[in-house]
Amino acid sequence: AKLVAALRTPADRFYSAYNMGMSEHLRRGGRAPRLARELREGGASERLRDSLRHNSTAGASYQLLASSLDRWIVCAPDCPEELGVIKMFFNYGMYAVNLRRFYAHFDRERVLLLKSEDLYRAPLQAVREVVTFAGLASLPEHEAQVLQKDSSNERRNSGSLWGGKSYTGKLQPLERAKLIAFYTPHNRDLYQLVGRDFGWEAE
């Protein structure tokens, strides 16, 4: 077996997971122990109360992210007092931790790592790399489909380029900088592990 992993800028990976995971969790009525206690005891700010009341039906808001991110980073990645999905948001972008689990069972030569941003920018090149890695013959009709989609100007979720159709808005510079700072040591761990610098800190 061979594995292919597309690794996205961790800050964008976090924000994507936040938009999907937090919305779903809150729609189901999820509450973290800390937030439940603050709401019960009156410790939560009025802005956070308003955000949570809105989010109980409408999903994640950027206001909730911006007002909570500093607190989440302090307790990351486990955050036992927060919503359970917060740990998931952080863990998704800690690629070295996750890759080591795969490397324990697969030789590194059997794992191809792609940079998601390269996939978005040059999909045909990425497809050819995967096909070659898998030892398969290139199919002209398949490449034609890739080229057709690439030239259709169809919007794709390319991380920092746009926020996604159902996102709460584009990830803003302040929150992006905080997430980049958090992930920097984890990215360095990844770069050393795989012998490749993905250059996410400069994006």
Coordinates of all heavy atoms in Angstrom, one line a residue, residues 11-74:
A11 N -2.6 27.0 9.9 CA -3.5 28.1 10.3 C -4.8 28.0 9.5 O -5.9 28.1 10.1 CB -2.9 29.5 10.0
D12 N -4.7 27.7 8.2 CA -5.9 27.5 7.4 C -6.6 26.2 7.7 O -7.9 26.1 7.7 CB -5.6 27.6 5.9 CG -5.1 28.9 5.4 OD1 -5.6 29.9 6.0 OD2 -4.3 29.0 4.6
R13 N -5.8 25.2 8.0 CA -6.4 23.9 8.5 C -7.2 24.1 9.7 O -8.3 23.5 9.9 CB -5.2 22.9 8.7 CG -5.6 21.6 9.3 CD -6.4 20.7 8.4 NE -7.8 21.0 8.6 CZ -8.8 20.5 7.8 NH1 -8.5 19.7 6.8 NH2 -10.0 20.8 8.0
F14 N -6.7 24.8 10.7 CA -7.4 25.1 11.9 C -8.7 25.8 11.6 O -9.8 25.5 12.2 CB -6.5 26.0 12.9 CG -7.2 26.3 14.2 CD1 -6.8 25.6 15.3 CD2 -8.1 27.4 14.3 CE1 -7.4 25.9 16.5 CE2 -8.7 27.7 15.5 CZ -8.3 26.9 16.6
Y15 N -8.6 26.9 10.8 CA -9.8 27.7 10.5 C -10.9 26.9 9.8 O -12.1 27.0 10.1 CB -9.4 28.9 9.7 CG -10.5 29.9 9.6 CD1 -11.2 30.4 10.7 CD2 -10.9 30.4 8.3 CE1 -12.3 31.3 10.6 CE2 -11.9 31.4 8.2 CZ -12.6 31.8 9.3 OH -13.6 32.7 9.2
S16 N -10.5 26.0 8.9 CA -11.4 25.2 8.2 C -12.1 24.2 9.2 O -13.3 24.1 9.2 CB -10.7 24.4 7.1 OG -11.6 23.5 6.5
A17 N -11.3 23.6 10.1 CA -11.9 22.7 11.1 C -12.8 23.5 12.0 O -13.9 22.9 12.4 CB -10.8 22.0 11.8
Y18 N -12.4 24.7 12.4 CA -13.3 25.5 13.2 C -14.6 25.7 12.6 O -15.7 25.5 13.3 CB -12.6 26.8 13.6 CG -13.5 27.8 14.2 CD1 -13.8 27.7 15.6 CD2 -14.1 28.8 13.5 CE1 -14.7 28.6 16.2 CE2 -15.0 29.7 14.0 CZ -15.3 29.6 15.4 OH -16.2 30.5 16.0
N19 N -14.6 26.2 11.4 CA -15.9 26.5 10.7 C -16.8 25.3 10.6 O -18.0 25.4 10.8 CB -15.6 27.1 9.3 CG -15.4 28.5 9.4 OD1 -16.3 29.3 9.4 ND2 -14.1 28.9 9.4
M20 N -16.2 24.1 10.3 CA -17.1 22.9 10.1 C -17.4 22.3 11.5 O -18.6 22.0 11.8 CB -16.3 21.9 9.2 CG -16.1 22.4 7.8 SD -15.2 21.2 6.8 CE -16.4 19.8 6.8
G21 N -16.4 22.1 12.3 CA -16.6 21.4 13.5 C -17.3 22.1 14.6 O -18.2 21.6 15.2
M22 N -17.0 23.4 14.7 CA -17.7 24.2 15.7 C -19.2 24.4 15.4 O -20.0 24.4 16.2 CB -17.0 25.6 15.9 CG -17.6 26.4 17.0 SD -17.3 25.7 18.7 CE -15.7 26.3 19.0
S23 N -19.4 24.7 14.1 CA -20.8 24.9 13.7 C -21.6 23.6 14.0 O -22.7 23.7 14.6 CB -20.9 25.2 12.2 OG -20.3 26.4 11.9
E24 N -21.1 22.5 13.6 CA -21.8 21.2 13.9 C -22.0 21.0 15.4 O -23.1 20.6 15.8 CB -21.1 20.1 13.2 CG -21.8 18.7 13.4 CD -23.1 18.6 12.6 OE1 -23.3 19.5 11.7 OE2 -23.9 17.8 13.0
H25 N -21.0 21.2 16.1 CA -21.0 20.9 17.6 C -22.0 21.9 18.3 O -22.8 21.4 19.1 CB -19.6 21.1 18.2 CG -19.5 20.6 19.6 ND1 -19.3 19.3 19.8 CD2 -19.6 21.2 20.8 CE1 -19.2 19.1 21.1 NE2 -19.4 20.3 21.7
L26 N -22.0 23.1 17.9 CA -22.9 24.1 18.6 C -24.4 23.8 18.1 O -25.3 24.0 18.9 CB -22.5 25.5 18.3 CG -21.2 25.9 18.9 CD1 -20.8 27.3 18.5 CD2 -21.3 25.9 20.4
R27 N -24.6 23.5 16.9 CA -25.9 23.2 16.4 C -26.6 22.0 17.2 O -27.8 21.9 17.4 CB -26.0 22.9 14.9 CG -25.7 24.1 14.1 CD -26.0 23.8 12.6 NE -25.7 25.0 11.8 CZ -24.6 25.0 11.0 NH1 -23.8 24.0 10.9 NH2 -24.3 26.1 10.3
R28 N -25.7 21.1 17.7 CA -26.1 20.0 18.4 C -26.3 20.3 19.9 O -26.6 19.4 20.7 CB -25.2 18.8 18.3 CG -25.2 18.2 16.9 CD -24.2 17.1 16.8 NE -24.2 16.5 15.4 CZ -23.4 15.4 15.1 NH1 -22.6 14.9 15.9 NH2 -23.5 14.9 13.9
G29 N -26.0 21.6 20.3 CA -26.2 22.0 21.7 C -25.0 21.7 22.5 O -25.1 21.7 23.8
G30 N -23.8 21.5 21.9 CA -22.6 21.3 22.7 C -22.1 22.5 23.5 O -22.2 23.6 23.0
R31 N -21.6 22.2 24.7 CA -21.1 23.3 25.5 C -19.8 22.7 26.3 O -19.9 21.6 26.7 CB -22.1 23.8 26.6 CG -23.2 24.6 26.0 CD -22.7 26.0 25.6 NE -23.8 26.9 25.1 CZ -24.2 27.0 23.9 NH1 -23.6 26.2 23.0 NH2 -25.2 27.8 23.6
A32 N -18.8 23.5 26.4 CA -17.6 23.1 27.2 C -17.9 23.3 28.6 O -18.7 24.2 29.0 CB -16.4 24.0 26.8
P33 N -17.3 22.6 29.5 CA -17.5 22.8 31.0 C -17.2 24.2 31.4 O -18.0 24.7 32.2 CB -16.5 21.8 31.6 CG -16.3 20.7 30.6 CD -16.4 21.4 29.2
R34 N -16.2 24.8 30.9 CA -15.9 26.2 31.3 C -16.9 27.2 30.8 O -17.4 28.0 31.6 CB -14.5 26.6 30.7 CG -14.2 28.0 31.0 CD -12.8 28.4 30.5 NE -12.4 29.8 30.8 CZ -11.2 30.2 30.9 NH1 -10.2 29.4 30.8 NH2 -11.0 31.5 31.1
L35 N -17.3 27.0 29.6 CA -18.4 28.0 29.1 C -19.7 27.8 29.8 O -20.4 28.7 30.1 CB -18.5 27.8 27.5 CG -17.4 28.3 26.7 CD1 -17.7 28.0 25.2 CD2 -17.0 29.7 26.9
A36 N -20.0 26.5 30.0 CA -21.3 26.2 30.7 C -21.3 26.8 32.1 O -22.3 27.4 32.6 CB -21.5 24.7 30.8
R37 N -20.1 26.7 32.8 CA -20.0 27.3 34.1 C -20.1 28.8 34.1 O -20.8 29.5 34.9 CB -18.7 26.8 34.8 CG -18.6 27.3 36.2 CD -17.4 26.6 36.9 NE -16.1 26.9 36.3 CZ -15.4 26.1 35.6 NH1 -15.8 24.8 35.4 NH2 -14.3 26.4 35.0
E38 N -19.4 29.4 33.1 CA -19.4 30.9 33.0 C -20.8 31.4 32.7 O -21.2 32.4 33.2 CB -18.4 31.3 32.0 CG -16.9 31.2 32.4 CD -16.0 31.7 31.4 OE1 -16.4 32.0 30.3 OE2 -14.7 31.7 31.6
L39 N -21.5 30.7 31.8 CA -22.8 31.1 31.5 C -23.8 31.0 32.7 O -24.6 31.9 32.9 CB -23.4 30.3 30.3 CG -22.7 30.6 28.9 CD1 -23.1 29.6 27.9 CD2 -23.1 32.0 28.5
R40 N -23.6 29.9 33.4 CA -24.4 29.7 34.6 C -24.1 30.7 35.7 O -25.0 31.2 36.4 CB -24.2 28.3 35.1 CG -25.1 27.8 36.3 CD -24.9 26.4 36.6 NE -23.5 26.1 37.1 CZ -22.7 25.4 36.3 NH1 -23.0 24.9 35.1 NH2 -21.4 25.2 36.8
E41 N -22.8 31.0 35.9 CA -22.5 31.9 37.0 C -22.3 33.3 36.6 O -22.0 34.2 37.5 CB -21.1 31.4 37.6 CG -21.2 29.9 38.2 CD -19.9 29.4 38.6 OE1 -18.8 30.1 38.4 OE2 -19.8 28.3 39.1
G42 N -22.6 33.6 35.4 CA -22.5 35.0 35.0 C -21.2 35.6 34.7 O -21.0 36.8 34.6
G43 N -20.2 34.7 34.5 CA -18.8 35.1 34.2 C -18.5 35.4 32.8 O -17.5 36.0 32.5
A44 N -19.3 34.9 31.9 CA -19.1 35.1 30.5 C -19.4 36.6 30.1 O -20.4 37.2 30.6 CB -19.9 34.2 29.6
S45 N -18.6 37.1 29.2 CA -18.9 38.5 28.7 C -20.2 38.5 27.9 O -20.7 37.5 27.4 CB -17.8 39.0 27.8 OG -17.8 38.3 26.6
E46 N -20.8 39.7 27.9 CA -22.1 39.9 27.1 C -21.9 39.6 25.7 O -22.7 39.0 25.0 CB -22.6 41.3 27.3 CG -24.0 41.4 26.8 CD -25.0 40.5 27.4 OE1 -24.9 40.2 28.6 OE2 -26.0 40.0 26.7
R47 N -20.7 40.0 25.1 CA -20.4 39.7 23.7 C -20.4 38.2 23.4 O -20.9 37.7 22.5 CB -19.1 40.3 23.3 CG -19.1 41.8 23.1 CD -17.8 42.3 22.7 NE -17.5 41.8 21.3 CZ -16.3 42.0 20.8 NH1 -15.3 42.6 21.4 NH2 -16.1 41.5 19.6
L48 N -19.7 37.4 24.4 CA -19.6 36.0 24.2 C -21.0 35.3 24.4 O -21.4 34.4 23.7 CB -18.6 35.4 25.2 CG -18.4 33.9 25.2 CD1 -17.9 33.5 23.8 CD2 -17.4 33.5 26.2
R49 N -21.8 35.9 25.3 CA -23.1 35.3 25.5 C -24.0 35.5 24.2 O -24.7 34.6 23.8 CB -23.8 36.0 26.7 CG -23.3 35.6 28.0 CD -23.9 36.5 29.1 NE -23.6 36.0 30.4 CZ -24.3 35.1 31.1 NH1 -25.4 34.6 30.6 NH2 -23.9 34.7 32.3
D50 N -23.9 36.7 23.6 CA -24.6 37.0 22.4 C -24.1 36.0 21.3 O -24.9 35.5 20.5 CB -24.4 38.4 22.0 CG -25.1 39.4 22.9 OD1 -26.0 39.0 23.6 OD2 -24.8 40.6 22.9
S51 N -22.8 35.9 21.2 CA -22.3 35.0 20.2 C -22.7 33.6 20.4 O -23.1 32.9 19.4 CB -20.7 35.0 20.2 OG -20.2 34.2 19.2
L52 N -22.7 33.1 21.6 CA -23.2 31.7 21.8 C -24.6 31.5 21.6 O -25.1 30.5 21.1 CB -22.8 31.3 23.3 CG -21.3 31.1 23.5 CD1 -21.0 30.9 25.0 CD2 -20.8 29.8 22.8
R53 N -25.4 32.6 22.0 CA -26.9 32.5 21.7 C -27.1 32.4 20.2 O -27.9 31.6 19.7 CB -27.6 33.7 22.3 CG -27.8 33.6 23.8 CD -28.9 34.6 24.2 NE -28.4 35.9 24.1 CZ -27.7 36.6 25.1 NH1 -27.6 35.9 26.3 NH2 -27.3 37.8 25.0
H54 N -26.4 33.2 19.4 CA -26.5 33.2 18.0 C -26.0 31.8 17.4 O -26.7 31.2 16.6 CB -25.7 34.3 17.4 CG -25.6 34.3 15.9 ND1 -26.6 34.6 15.0 CD2 -24.6 33.9 15.1 CE1 -26.3 34.4 13.8 NE2 -25.0 34.0 13.8
N55 N -24.9 31.4 17.9 CA -24.3 30.1 17.4 C -25.1 28.9 17.8 O -24.9 27.8 17.1 CB -22.9 30.0 18.0 CG -21.9 30.8 17.1 OD1 -21.8 30.7 15.9 ND2 -21.1 31.7 17.8
S56 N -25.9 29.0 18.7 CA -26.7 27.8 19.1 C -27.6 27.3 17.9 O -27.9 26.1 17.9 CB -27.6 28.1 20.3 OG -28.6 29.1 20.0
T57 N -27.9 28.2 17.0 CA -28.7 27.8 15.9 C -28.0 28.1 14.5 O -28.2 27.4 13.6 CB -30.0 28.6 15.8 OG1 -29.8 30.0 15.8 CG2 -30.8 28.2 17.1
A58 N -27.1 29.1 14.5 CA -26.5 29.5 13.2 C -25.1 29.0 13.0 O -24.6 29.1 11.9 CB -26.5 31.0 13.2
G59 N -24.5 28.3 14.0 CA -23.2 27.8 13.7 C -22.1 28.7 14.2 O -22.3 29.7 15.0
A60 N -20.9 28.5 13.8 CA -19.7 29.2 14.3 C -19.7 30.6 13.8 O -20.2 30.9 12.7 CB -18.4 28.5 13.9
S61 N -19.2 31.5 14.7 CA -19.1 32.9 14.2 C -17.6 33.3 14.3 O -16.8 32.8 15.1 CB -19.9 33.9 15.1 OG -19.3 34.0 16.4
Y62 N -17.2 34.4 13.6 CA -15.9 34.8 13.7 C -15.6 35.5 15.0 O -14.5 35.5 15.6 CB -15.5 35.8 12.5 CG -14.1 35.9 12.3 CD1 -13.4 35.1 11.4 CD2 -13.3 36.8 13.0 CE1 -12.0 35.1 11.2 CE2 -11.9 36.9 12.9 CZ -11.3 36.0 11.9 OH -9.9 36.1 11.8
Q63 N -16.7 36.1 15.6 CA -16.6 36.8 16.9 C -16.2 35.8 17.9 O -15.3 36.1 18.8 CB -17.9 37.4 17.2 CG -17.9 38.1 18.6 CD -19.3 38.7 18.9 OE1 -20.1 38.9 18.0 NE2 -19.5 38.9 20.2
L64 N -16.8 34.6 17.9 CA -16.4 33.6 18.9 C -15.0 33.1 18.7 O -14.3 33.0 19.7 CB -17.4 32.4 18.7 CG -17.1 31.2 19.7 CD1 -17.3 31.6 21.1 CD2 -18.1 30.0 19.3
L65 N -14.5 33.0 17.5 CA -13.1 32.6 17.3 C -12.2 33.7 17.8 O -11.3 33.4 18.6 CB -12.9 32.4 15.8 CG -11.4 32.2 15.4 CD1 -10.9 30.9 15.8 CD2 -11.2 32.4 13.9
A66 N -12.4 34.9 17.4 CA -11.5 36.0 17.8 C -11.5 36.2 19.3 O -10.4 36.5 19.9 CB -12.0 37.3 17.1
S67 N -12.6 36.0 20.0 CA -12.7 36.3 21.4 C -12.2 35.1 22.2 O -11.9 35.3 23.4 CB -14.1 36.6 21.9 OG -15.0 35.4 21.6
S68 N -12.0 33.9 21.6 CA -11.6 32.7 22.3 C -10.2 32.3 22.0 O -9.6 31.5 22.8 CB -12.6 31.6 22.1 OG -13.9 32.0 22.3
L69 N -9.6 32.7 20.9 CA -8.4 32.1 20.4 C -7.3 32.2 21.4 O -6.5 31.2 21.5 CB -8.0 32.8 19.0 CG -6.9 32.1 18.3 CD1 -7.1 30.6 18.1 CD2 -6.6 32.8 17.0
D70 N -7.1 33.4 22.0 CA -6.0 33.5 23.0 C -6.1 32.5 24.1 O -5.1 31.9 24.5 CB -6.0 34.9 23.6 CG -5.5 36.0 22.6 OD1 -4.8 35.6 21.6 OD2 -5.8 37.2 22.8
R71 N -7.3 32.3 24.6 CA -7.5 31.3 25.7 C -7.3 29.9 25.2 O -6.7 29.1 25.9 CB -9.0 31.4 26.2 CG -9.3 30.6 27.4 CD -10.7 30.8 27.9 NE -11.7 30.1 27.1 CZ -12.6 30.8 26.3 NH1 -12.6 32.1 26.3 NH2 -13.4 30.1 25.6
W72 N -7.7 29.6 24.0 CA -7.5 28.3 23.4 C -6.0 28.0 23.2 O -5.6 26.9 23.5 CB -8.2 28.1 22.1 CG -9.7 28.1 22.2 CD1 -10.5 28.0 23.3 CD2 -10.6 28.4 21.1 NE1 -11.8 28.1 23.0 CE2 -11.9 28.3 21.6 CE3 -10.5 28.6 19.7 CZ2 -13.1 28.5 20.9 CZ3 -11.6 28.8 19.0 CH2 -12.9 28.7 19.5
I73 N -5.3 29.0 22.8 CA -3.8 28.7 22.5 C -3.1 28.5 23.8 O -2.2 27.6 23.9 CB -3.2 30.0 21.8 CG1 -3.7 30.0 20.3 CG2 -1.7 30.0 21.8 CD1 -3.3 31.2 19.5
V74 N -3.5 29.1 24.9 CA -2.9 28.9 26.2 C -3.0 27.4 26.6 O -2.1 26.8 27.2 CB -3.4 29.8 27.3 CG1 -3.0 29.4 28.7 CG2 -3.0 31.3 27.0

